[in-house]
């Protein structure tokens, strides 16, 4: 599904040049659950942003379903993201002015889906995430765990092939964190590929494979369990 070859990402200002990724070579197969770990500033989120087509690498090759796409224009990346990739963020990234239902419906509007199909999909995913009883509430009226369930619902409502999760349990207590990890495990068992950035060793144990980054390099890869 994803493959990189000698991937580099360098950020430059007038005075400073920072190498965020330095010669990354990695492959992620369909159906995998991969955890990316490492200290702050090691390149984890940069790699996730490139994998999610939110940014282009400075050099190297990046393949998405066999197509080399490292230097796509923003419009091309946006079109490729739609329906293929779902995102889950530490800070939830819900829109405060929209209800739970409207937040989850939003990705379907971008896909120009019919009203009836949007209603069906949103209702199904809210039931699945056990948050349907809050459909008319606003994010500020929800607990952190409830907000993250809404964020997961929004990420899966388009039935994406790939979910990218950036510290999805970072703002949650242990009980709600385990709940989110159980949801991700269930989605993975149903066939969704998941790539997750985390600082939590216990949550990384849910993954099939753990990739350790340090100073923009992959330093270790550990297989945790068989696919």
């Amino acid at each position: 599904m994803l493959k990189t070859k000698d991937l580099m990402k360098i950020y430059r200002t007038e005075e400073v040049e920072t190498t965020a990724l330095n010669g990354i070579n990695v492959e992620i197969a369909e159906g995998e659950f991969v955890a990316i770990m490492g200290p702050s500033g090691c390149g984890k989120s940069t790699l996730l942003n490139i994998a999610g087509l939110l940014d282009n690498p400075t050099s190297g090759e990046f393949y998405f379903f066999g197509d080399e796409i490292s230097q796509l224009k923003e419009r091309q990346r946006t079109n490729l993201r739609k329906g293929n990739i779902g995102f889950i963020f530490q800070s939830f990234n819900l829109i405060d002015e929209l209800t739970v239902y409207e937040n989850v419906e939003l990705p379907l509007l971008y896909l120009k889906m019919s009203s009836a199909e949007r209603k069906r999909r949103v209702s199904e995913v809210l039931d699945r995430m056990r948050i349907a009883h809050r459909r008319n509430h606003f994010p500020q009226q929800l607990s952190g765990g409830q907000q993250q369930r809404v964020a997961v619902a929004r990420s899966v409502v388009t039935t994406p092939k790939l979910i990218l999760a950036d510290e999805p349990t970072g703002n949650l207590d242990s009980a709600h964190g385990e709940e989110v990890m159980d949801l991700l495990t269930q989605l993975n068992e149903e066939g969704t590929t998941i790539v997750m950035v985390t600082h939590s060793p216990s949550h990384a144990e849910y993954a099939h494979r753990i990739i350790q980054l340090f100073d923009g390099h992959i330093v270790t890869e550990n297989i945790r369990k068989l696919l």
Side-chain angles (χ1 to χ4, degrees), residues 24-26 34-39 42 47 209-224:
I24 296 293
N25 293 286
V26 68
V34 176
I36 301 174
M37 300 190 74
C42 71
L47 182 56
R209 180 159 50 116
I210 300 173
I211 297 173
Q212 291 276 355
L213 291 183
F214 186 77
D215 285 349
H217 297 274
I218 293 177
V219 291
T220 62
E221 288 190 59
N222 298 318
I223 306 296
R224 302 305 304 174

Side-chain angles (χ1 to χ4, degrees), residues 105-172:
E105 182 187 35
L106 194 58
L108 303 179
L109 292 172
Y110 294 143
L111 293 175
K112 297 183 167 63
M113 203 167 282
S114 70
S115 175
E117 179 64 9
R118 294 199 309 270
K119 182 177 180 180
R120 183 188 70 80
R121 288 201 185 202
V122 174
S123 295
E124 282 185 0
V125 77
L126 290 179
D127 284 338
R128 180 178 183 183
M129 298 300 159
R130 305 190 305 279
I131 199 71
H133 62 294
R134 296 285 196 171
R135 62 190 293 133
N136 295 320
H137 288 72
F138 292 92
Q140 307 96 308
Q141 298 173 302
L142 307 178
S143 69
Q146 289 171 333
Q147 289 187 60
Q148 195 60 297
R149 288 213 300 274
V150 176
V152 174
R154 182 185 56 191
S155 76
V156 303
V157 73
T158 61
T159 60
K161 301 177 180 69
L162 171 67
I163 289 179
L164 301 175
D166 194 356
E167 295 284 359
T169 63
N171 283 337
L172 303 178

Side-chain angles (χ1 to χ4, degrees), residues 13-215:
T13 66
E14 291 184 1
E15 299 178 354
V16 178
E17 180 175 289
T18 303
T19 300
L21 298 175
N22 193 352
I24 296 293
N25 293 286
V26 68
E27 292 189 42
I28 296 173
E30 284 190 73
E32 270 200 284
F33 188 158
V34 176
I36 301 174
M37 300 190 74
S40 298
C42 71
K44 302 186 302 295
S45 293
T46 299
L47 182 56
L48 207 68
N49 286 340
I50 292 174
L53 310 181
L54 297 173
D55 199 1
N56 282 336
T58 303
S59 64
E61 300 173 9
F62 175 51
Y63 296 86
F64 188 75
F65 282 102
D67 294 323
E68 209 290 314
I69 59 169
S70 61
Q71 298 304 320
L72 290 184
K73 303 297 184 185
E74 172 58 29
R75 183 182 295 274
Q76 295 171 307
R77 295 202 308 269
T78 299
N79 289 335
L80 193 54
R81 280 196 304 268
K82 289 179 181 178
N84 285 315
I85 303 175
F87 296 90
I88 305 171
F89 302 96
Q90 176 179 348
S91 56
F92 316 134
N93 282 19
L94 301 176
I95 299 174
D96 289 340
E97 293 77 18
L98 299 182
T99 64
V100 164
Y101 184 98
E102 291 165 340
N103 266 283
V104 176
E105 182 187 35
L106 194 58
L108 303 179
L109 292 172
Y110 294 143
L111 293 175
K112 297 183 167 63
M113 203 167 282
S114 70
S115 175
E117 179 64 9
R118 294 199 309 270
K119 182 177 180 180
R120 183 188 70 80
R121 288 201 185 202
V122 174
S123 295
E124 282 185 0
V125 77
L126 290 179
D127 284 338
R128 180 178 183 183
M129 298 300 159
R130 305 190 305 279
I131 199 71
H133 62 294
R134 296 285 196 171
R135 62 190 293 133
N136 295 320
H137 288 72
F138 292 92
Q140 307 96 308
Q141 298 173 302
L142 307 178
S143 69
Q146 289 171 333
Q147 289 187 60
Q148 195 60 297
R149 288 213 300 274
V150 176
V152 174
R154 182 185 56 191
S155 76
V156 303
V157 73
T158 61
T159 60
K161 301 177 180 69
L162 171 67
I163 289 179
L164 301 175
D166 194 356
E167 295 284 359
T169 63
N171 283 337
L172 303 178
D173 60 32
S174 59
H176 287 125
E178 294 301 321
E179 184 177 278
V180 168
M181 292 309 305
D182 288 340
L183 287 172
L184 292 178
T185 299
Q186 181 182 350
L187 292 168
N188 177 247
E189 289 173 347
E190 294 169 0
T192 305
T193 305
I194 296 176
V195 180
M196 175 184 69
V197 163
T198 182
H199 279 106
S200 169
S202 62
H203 291 164
E205 293 287 337
Y206 283 80
H208 304 139
R209 180 159 50 116
I210 300 173
I211 297 173
Q212 291 276 355
L213 291 183
F214 186 77
D215 285 349

